[in-house]
Amino acid sequence: MRVTLDHVTKRFGDFTAVNDFSAVLEDGQLACLLGPSGCGKSTLLNMLSGILPVTEGKVLFDQDDVTSLPPEKRGVGLVFQNYALYPHMTVLDNICFPLETQHVDKKERVERANEIAKLVHVDMLMKRRPAELSGGQQQRVAIARALVKNPRLLLLDEPLSNLDARLRLEMREEIRRIQQRTGVTTVFVTHDQEEAMSISDKIVLMKSGVLQQNDVPQTLYHQPVNQFVADFLGNPPINNLPGVIRGGAFLADGADTPVVLPMLEGVAEGREVNLSVRSESFMLDDHGPIACTVESVYQMGKEEMAYLTLGACAFRAYIDADEGLQKGQHIRLGLKKRGVFLFDRETGERIR
Ligand SMILES: Nc1ncnc2c1ncn2[C@@H]1O[C@H](COP(=O)(O)OP(=O)(O)O)[C@@H](O)[C@H]1O
Ligand SMILES: [Mg+2]
């Protein structure tokens, strides 16, 4: 099922939590709703489920306007960060519960619950109670319970936040597998960009209630529409070298030698910009445009992470370990085609 958010706004009093938000989530895809804490992700998800009414705008499921439909009529499955299982019930009864409220007969309930339990790999735990399960197992049961009614839309709100790091990795792959197996359109809320990069068909990145970019993960990484998107994705974070355009070249703050780059052509003289470069987008080049100093070097497998300075700007670059860079060395770097951007320092607008 395709989901359309059409100019959706949510206000709490005079505070706008979600502002004029429009996006289409494609049928059968997993979309990650990504953004910092407090940016409005849960609010948006709750407007999809119907738990929260919208202030303005429309929500469409395929062609149907569901804006004023209550949650129980929307056919959505929900999973939250805290598993919210019924503690006194067995796993089987927890998974069956949504069917019971729909008056599905007992035999069919148990059949359906067993089928979903197998898919989610909790079929050997059916007689246990939540207190007898690990966090990961509880979250699997919560997912099974959300899927048992064959929802048209699966909504997951930071479902892995309570799990330890190793389990998070395992469960994110599990969620991807289950989603692909069932083909259910899924919205997965997270503030963790690595999580989003690894499991999404599309990433919907938001900031302060406003949509920034909605696209495949690689496009957000390689073609960010603004500074916020470039900063939010990637580990290590993108390097931002603040400076100004002088004589058609980039003069980094505190530096005396300008950096001449073809990409700067046509950028207004005196404009204050960030030259933003991913750590993997530098290369050693004796004739390269960036003259900088090695502050320190850390071994990272076959590559080294070099900490460098250009004027008052510090940045990080991956360099082949065979180069044997030394602290204090003066080197020149060139830039690769990918992962090099120019942003307006004031507005964050992408210039190049
Ligand atoms: N019921 C509410 N009343 C007032 N403000 C709210 C309410 N729910 C959320 N907010 C505010 O809306 C903003 C977005 O919240 P939320 O959607 O929970 O963010 P996220 O899930 O991205 O962390 C926050 O500033 C939050 O304080
Ligand atoms: Mg939230």
Side-chain angles (χ1 to χ4, degrees), residues 284-296:
L284 271 181
D285 175 357
D286 289 343
H287 306 287
I290 301 177
C292 55
T293 307
V294 179
E295 298 299 328
S296 54

PDB file of all heavy atoms in Angstrom, residues 284-296:
ATOM      1  N   LEU A 284      46.110  11.696  -1.498  1.00  0.00           N
ATOM      2  CA  LEU A 284      47.439  12.307  -1.512  1.00  0.00           C
ATOM      3  C   LEU A 284      47.804  12.648  -2.938  1.00  0.00           C
ATOM      4  O   LEU A 284      47.632  11.834  -3.835  1.00  0.00           O
ATOM      5  CB  LEU A 284      48.465  11.317  -0.962  1.00  0.00           C
ATOM      6  CG  LEU A 284      48.704  11.327   0.548  1.00  0.00           C
ATOM      7  CD1 LEU A 284      49.771  10.297   0.882  1.00  0.00           C
ATOM      8  CD2 LEU A 284      49.105  12.701   1.063  1.00  0.00           C
ATOM      9  N   ASP A 285      48.310  13.867  -3.153  1.00  0.00           N
ATOM     10  CA  ASP A 285      48.645  14.311  -4.502  1.00  0.00           C
ATOM     11  C   ASP A 285      49.637  15.471  -4.356  1.00  0.00           C
ATOM     12  O   ASP A 285      49.271  16.544  -3.881  1.00  0.00           O
ATOM     13  CB  ASP A 285      47.353  14.771  -5.198  1.00  0.00           C
ATOM     14  CG  ASP A 285      47.612  15.360  -6.570  1.00  0.00           C
ATOM     15  OD1 ASP A 285      48.800  15.461  -6.968  1.00  0.00           O
ATOM     16  OD2 ASP A 285      46.627  15.729  -7.238  1.00  0.00           O
ATOM     17  N   ASP A 286      50.867  15.235  -4.781  1.00  0.00           N
ATOM     18  CA  ASP A 286      51.925  16.248  -4.627  1.00  0.00           C
ATOM     19  C   ASP A 286      51.578  17.573  -5.280  1.00  0.00           C
ATOM     20  O   ASP A 286      52.131  18.609  -4.918  1.00  0.00           O
ATOM     21  CB  ASP A 286      53.244  15.720  -5.219  1.00  0.00           C
ATOM     22  CG  ASP A 286      53.823  14.614  -4.353  1.00  0.00           C
ATOM     23  OD1 ASP A 286      53.394  14.507  -3.181  1.00  0.00           O
ATOM     24  OD2 ASP A 286      54.676  13.842  -4.841  1.00  0.00           O
ATOM     25  N   HIS A 287      50.678  17.520  -6.271  1.00  0.00           N
ATOM     26  CA  HIS A 287      50.282  18.761  -6.939  1.00  0.00           C
ATOM     27  C   HIS A 287      48.858  19.158  -6.585  1.00  0.00           C
ATOM     28  O   HIS A 287      48.268  20.006  -7.242  1.00  0.00           O
ATOM     29  CB  HIS A 287      50.443  18.610  -8.463  1.00  0.00           C
ATOM     30  CG  HIS A 287      51.814  18.169  -8.848  1.00  0.00           C
ATOM     31  ND1 HIS A 287      52.897  19.005  -8.792  1.00  0.00           N
ATOM     32  CD2 HIS A 287      52.285  16.954  -9.238  1.00  0.00           C
ATOM     33  CE1 HIS A 287      53.984  18.330  -9.156  1.00  0.00           C
ATOM     34  NE2 HIS A 287      53.632  17.084  -9.428  1.00  0.00           N
ATOM     35  N   GLY A 288      48.298  18.519  -5.545  1.00  0.00           N
ATOM     36  CA  GLY A 288      46.919  18.795  -5.148  1.00  0.00           C
ATOM     37  C   GLY A 288      46.739  20.212  -4.622  1.00  0.00           C
ATOM     38  O   GLY A 288      47.704  20.862  -4.209  1.00  0.00           O
ATOM     39  N   PRO A 289      45.506  20.713  -4.628  1.00  0.00           N
ATOM     40  CA  PRO A 289      45.232  22.103  -4.271  1.00  0.00           C
ATOM     41  C   PRO A 289      45.238  22.393  -2.765  1.00  0.00           C
ATOM     42  O   PRO A 289      45.285  23.558  -2.384  1.00  0.00           O
ATOM     43  CB  PRO A 289      43.836  22.345  -4.846  1.00  0.00           C
ATOM     44  CG  PRO A 289      43.192  20.999  -4.866  1.00  0.00           C
ATOM     45  CD  PRO A 289      44.288  20.005  -5.098  1.00  0.00           C
ATOM     46  N   ILE A 290      45.195  21.367  -1.935  1.00  0.00           N
ATOM     47  CA  ILE A 290      45.097  21.622  -0.493  1.00  0.00           C
ATOM     48  C   ILE A 290      46.436  21.333   0.184  1.00  0.00           C
ATOM     49  O   ILE A 290      46.877  20.179   0.268  1.00  0.00           O
ATOM     50  CB  ILE A 290      43.979  20.757   0.148  1.00  0.00           C
ATOM     51  CG1 ILE A 290      42.640  21.080  -0.513  1.00  0.00           C
ATOM     52  CG2 ILE A 290      43.910  20.990   1.664  1.00  0.00           C
ATOM     53  CD1 ILE A 290      41.483  20.248  -0.023  1.00  0.00           C
ATOM     54  N   ALA A 291      47.087  22.397   0.658  1.00  0.00           N
ATOM     55  CA  ALA A 291      48.353  22.243   1.393  1.00  0.00           C
ATOM     56  C   ALA A 291      48.004  22.234   2.877  1.00  0.00           C
ATOM     57  O   ALA A 291      47.427  23.186   3.377  1.00  0.00           O
ATOM     58  CB  ALA A 291      49.286  23.404   1.067  1.00  0.00           C
ATOM     59  N   CYS A 292      48.346  21.134   3.547  1.00  0.00           N
ATOM     60  CA  CYS A 292      47.934  21.026   4.949  1.00  0.00           C
ATOM     61  C   CYS A 292      49.001  20.320   5.779  1.00  0.00           C
ATOM     62  O   CYS A 292      50.014  19.859   5.250  1.00  0.00           O
ATOM     63  CB  CYS A 292      46.593  20.297   5.039  1.00  0.00           C
ATOM     64  SG  CYS A 292      46.593  18.688   4.244  1.00  0.00           S
ATOM     65  N   THR A 293      48.760  20.254   7.083  1.00  0.00           N
ATOM     66  CA  THR A 293      49.747  19.718   8.018  1.00  0.00           C
ATOM     67  C   THR A 293      49.164  18.505   8.740  1.00  0.00           C
ATOM     68  O   THR A 293      48.002  18.537   9.152  1.00  0.00           O
ATOM     69  CB  THR A 293      50.117  20.794   9.065  1.00  0.00           C
ATOM     70  OG1 THR A 293      50.495  21.973   8.358  1.00  0.00           O
ATOM     71  CG2 THR A 293      51.251  20.344   9.958  1.00  0.00           C
ATOM     72  N   VAL A 294      49.975  17.467   8.891  1.00  0.00           N
ATOM     73  CA  VAL A 294      49.536  16.260   9.605  1.00  0.00           C
ATOM     74  C   VAL A 294      49.693  16.493  11.108  1.00  0.00           C
ATOM     75  O   VAL A 294      50.796  16.760  11.588  1.00  0.00           O
ATOM     76  CB  VAL A 294      50.386  15.037   9.182  1.00  0.00           C
ATOM     77  CG1 VAL A 294      49.937  13.781   9.941  1.00  0.00           C
ATOM     78  CG2 VAL A 294      50.315  14.831   7.677  1.00  0.00           C
ATOM     79  N   GLU A 295      48.595  16.413  11.839  1.00  0.00           N
ATOM     80  CA  GLU A 295      48.646  16.596  13.297  1.00  0.00           C
ATOM     81  C   GLU A 295      48.846  15.269  14.010  1.00  0.00           C
ATOM     82  O   GLU A 295      49.584  15.176  14.980  1.00  0.00           O
ATOM     83  CB  GLU A 295      47.355  17.255  13.802  1.00  0.00           C
ATOM     84  CG  GLU A 295      47.113  18.653  13.244  1.00  0.00           C
ATOM     85  CD  GLU A 295      48.211  19.651  13.618  1.00  0.00           C
ATOM     86  OE1 GLU A 295      48.790  19.514  14.707  1.00  0.00           O
ATOM     87  OE2 GLU A 295      48.490  20.559  12.804  1.00  0.00           O
ATOM     88  N   SER A 296      48.162  14.244  13.530  1.00  0.00           N
ATOM     89  CA  SER A 296      48.342  12.897  14.093  1.00  0.00           C
ATOM     90  C   SER A 296      47.780  11.875  13.120  1.00  0.00           C
ATOM     91  O   SER A 296      47.035  12.226  12.193  1.00  0.00           O
ATOM     92  CB  SER A 296      47.649  12.775  15.452  1.00  0.00           C
ATOM     93  OG  SER A 296      46.303  13.145  15.334  1.00  0.00           O
TER      94      SER A 296
END
